[in-house]
Amino acid sequence: RKEVEQDPGPFNVPEGATVAFNCTYSNSASQSFFWYRQDCRKEPKLLMSVYSSGNEDGRFTAQLNRASQYISLLIRDSKLSDSATYLCVVNDAGYALNFGKGTSLLVTP
Amino acid sequence: SAVISQKPSRDICQRGTSLTIQCQVDSQVTMMFWYRQQPGQSLTLIATANQGSEATYESGFVIDKFPISRPNLTFSTLTVSNMSPEDSSIYLCSVELTGAGANVLTFGAGSRLTVL
C-alpha cells in the first residue's frame, strides 16, 4: 500500500494563531483527498474534502498540489476547541482509503 | 447522515479467546467497512463487509482471524479470533457518507479492545 506521511507534531499554538499542516502522498494516481479530525479517544470525523482548486470552510482552508503530491490544511484564528489530531486521507483506488498517522494540534490559552 | 452504533465500546479479554463486535446502522447502506487503529498508528482497513457474500479482506488480514458477517444492509459483525496482545486496538465500523461524494466515510465510535 502506498504511503501517506504527516508530521506527527505536536503543534502547540496560542489561541488566535494561524497554523498549517502538510501531508505528502506517494501514489501519483490518487484521486480523492480529505482531512479528518479525531478527538482524543473518539472516532475520526470528516473535516473537509480537498478539491483540486482548493477549498475553504470558515477558518479552514485546504489545498492540493498534485505536482508535488501534497495537501495542506490551514487553520486561521485557532480556537481551544481546534485541539485534536488531524488525519490526512487519500483514496488510492476504489474504496480503499489510505490514512496518515495524524498531526496533533494543541491550542493553548 | 447515517448513525452508527457499535458495541461493545470497550472490552478486556484473555489471550486465546474471541470477541465479536457489532455494528448497527440506522439506514440501509451498500458499503460497510471495518478498520483497525492500533496505538500511535494510522487507521488500517481490515475488510469490506459485503451483504450476502463473503467479505473482501485487505492484504495482511484473513477470514480465519477476522470473520465478518453482513446479514443485511444495516448490520455487520467483526470477530477477532484467538486473540493475542497484539490485537489490542480500536476497531471501527464505517459506512460511506450518503450525499457527500464518493469515498467519504462516517465512523462508529469504535470498540477499544485490550487483550491480556
Side-chain angles (χ1 to χ4, degrees), chain B:
Chain B
S1 61
V3 176
I4 303 174
S5 302
Q6 238 185 280
K7 59 180 182 181
S9 59
R10 62 181 63 238
D11 208 340
I12 300 173
C13 302
Q14 295 295 323
R15 183 195 301 258
T17 63
S18 298
L19 176 74
T20 296
I21 302 166
Q22 298 181 8
C23 177
Q24 178 74 53
V25 188
D26 69 344
S27 58
Q28 293 187 338
V29 293
T30 305
M31 309 297 291
M32 290 182 76
F33 308 93
W34 286 99
Y35 280 83
R36 179 173 75 180
Q37 187 175 28
Q38 294 179 303
Q41 300 299 313
S42 58
L43 275 78
T44 302
L45 180 63
I46 297 171
T48 302
N50 303 308
Q51 194 269 329
S53 65
E54 200 168 278
T56 305
Y57 289 84
E58 296 298 306
S59 176
F61 298 96
V62 296
I63 188 171
D64 289 346
K65 177 65 177 178
F66 298 101
I68 286 171
S69 78
R70 178 87 192 270
N72 55 54
L73 292 176
T74 64
F75 185 78
S76 178
T77 67
L78 169 75
T79 298
V80 186
S81 303
N82 188 24
M83 288 182 286
S84 66
E86 291 71 34
D87 295 320
S88 297
S89 184
I90 301 172
Y91 293 86
L92 296 134
C93 171
S94 71
V95 303
E96 194 176 38
L97 198 60
T98 304
N103 311 130
V104 177
L105 299 181
T106 186
F107 288 86
S111 299
R112 184 179 297 270
L113 172 63
T114 301
V115 184
L116 303 178

Side-chain angles (χ1 to χ4, degrees), chain A residues 1 32 34 36 38 40-46 49 51 87 91 94-102, chain B residues 10 31 33 35 37 40-43 45 58 92 96-97 100 102-110 112:
Chain A
R1 168 158 288 190
S32 306
F34 311 92
Y36 278 71
Q38 187 171 25
C40 186
R41 304 179 82 83
K42 298 287 188 180
E43 73 275 19
K45 294 183 179 179
L46 178 70
S49 302
Y51 305 122
L87 306 175
N91 169 245
Y95 286 93
L97 292 182
N98 200 356
F99 284 77
K101 292 184 180 180
Chain B
R10 62 181 63 238
M31 309 297 291
F33 308 93
Y35 280 83
Q37 187 175 28
Q41 300 299 313
S42 58
L43 275 78
L45 180 63
E58 296 298 306
L92 296 134
E96 194 176 38
L97 198 60
N103 311 130
V104 177
L105 299 181
T106 186
F107 288 86
R112 184 179 297 270

Side-chain angles (χ1 to χ4, degrees), chain A residues 10-32:
Chain A
F11 285 64
N12 294 319
V13 302
E15 263 187 298
T18 296
V19 61
F21 311 136
N22 282 341
C23 162
T24 60
Y25 60 95
S26 60
N27 186 356
S28 59
S30 298
Q31 294 297 315
S32 306

